[in-house]
Amino acid sequence: EPLSQLRFTTSLLAELKDRKIHTALDTSGFAPWESLRKAAGLADLVLYDLKMVDPDKHAAYTGVANRTILENLRKLAATGKPIAVRIPLAADVNDGPENIRRTIEFLKPLPAVRRVDILRYHQGGREKYKNLGQSDQFEIFAPPSPERMEEIRRAFADAGFTVTIGG
């Protein structure tokens, strides 16, 4: 999370901006608003991870509440900064119709959200956890089927979003 190293992140973004290099801030949004505001102000685009809008499920699966994440996204969108929301999807965790409906309802009034990237769950972090001696903390989930990913893509597209499928 780049916002946990705010001084480094803002210094790097400022240097890249001075060199006319396009930048993107990739964040979970789980940080104080002032940290996000400072870093996002230096970036050309913000890639914002959003796992789920239901607070209880978010806390159960991630270990943290999502109030700050959701509120920061609302505040960031109000600044007009271009935002691409990235949604990592795991089967039977956050790919259900209710979560997708609620996510669309949350994002729809945020005009700065230019696109939604839906990402199939993968185990890329597994090796990282192992190297940190925390492999017992890595949960393994299944990715949604290609058919389900297409249904989700279509739901976001029907709601007016530009949507990509990745992962």
Side-chain angles (χ1 to χ4, degrees):
E1 173 57 53
L3 299 179
S4 67
Q5 299 178 28
L6 185 62
R7 231 166 116 199
F8 172 78
T9 299
T10 54
S11 294
L12 178 60
L13 288 168
E15 180 67 26
L16 293 169
K17 187 177 195 88
D18 287 347
R19 294 178 186 212
K20 309 277 189 262
I21 297 172
H22 187 275
T23 57
L25 174 68
D26 189 350
T27 182
S28 68
F30 188 67
W33 164 244
E34 280 304 307
S35 297
L36 176 58
R37 186 190 63 74
K38 285 178 187 173
L42 294 166
D44 296 303
L45 170 69
V46 177
L47 304 174
Y48 202 101
D49 291 346
L50 184 61
K51 293 173 181 69
M52 59 185 76
V53 294
D54 181 281
D56 296 328
K57 286 185 178 182
H58 191 279
Y61 282 103
T62 68
V64 298
N66 65 353
R67 182 175 180 202
T68 297
I69 295 164
L70 298 175
E71 193 56 37
N72 278 347
L73 182 52
R74 281 189 195 100
K75 288 178 181 178
L76 182 63
T79 71
K81 177 66 63 177
I83 304 167
V85 172
R86 298 165 52 85
I87 306 172
L89 293 167
D92 302 321
V93 175
N94 65 341
D95 73 332
E98 179 67 10
N99 183 60
I100 300 306
R101 182 189 61 75
R102 289 182 66 188
T103 302
I104 290 169
E105 286 175 2
F106 177 79
L107 294 175
K108 207 158 166 79
L110 307 178
V113 175
R114 301 229 171 130
R115 76 172 201 251
V116 174
D117 302 329
I118 55 174
L119 311 169
R120 292 183 81 218
Y121 173 83
H122 62 78
Q123 297 178 20
R126 188 176 197 176
E127 195 63 28
K128 186 188 316 181
Y129 273 76
K130 182 180 170 190
N131 291 338
L132 293 170
Q134 299 176 349
S135 57
D136 59 326
Q137 294 180 27
F138 188 85
E139 291 192 52
I140 297 174
F141 301 103
S145 69
E147 295 80 19
R148 181 65 188 136
M149 291 294 290
E150 177 54 29
E151 290 170 2
I152 294 168
R153 185 204 65 74
R154 197 170 28 249
F156 279 98
D158 290 349
F161 294 98
T162 297
V163 189
T164 65
I165 297 178

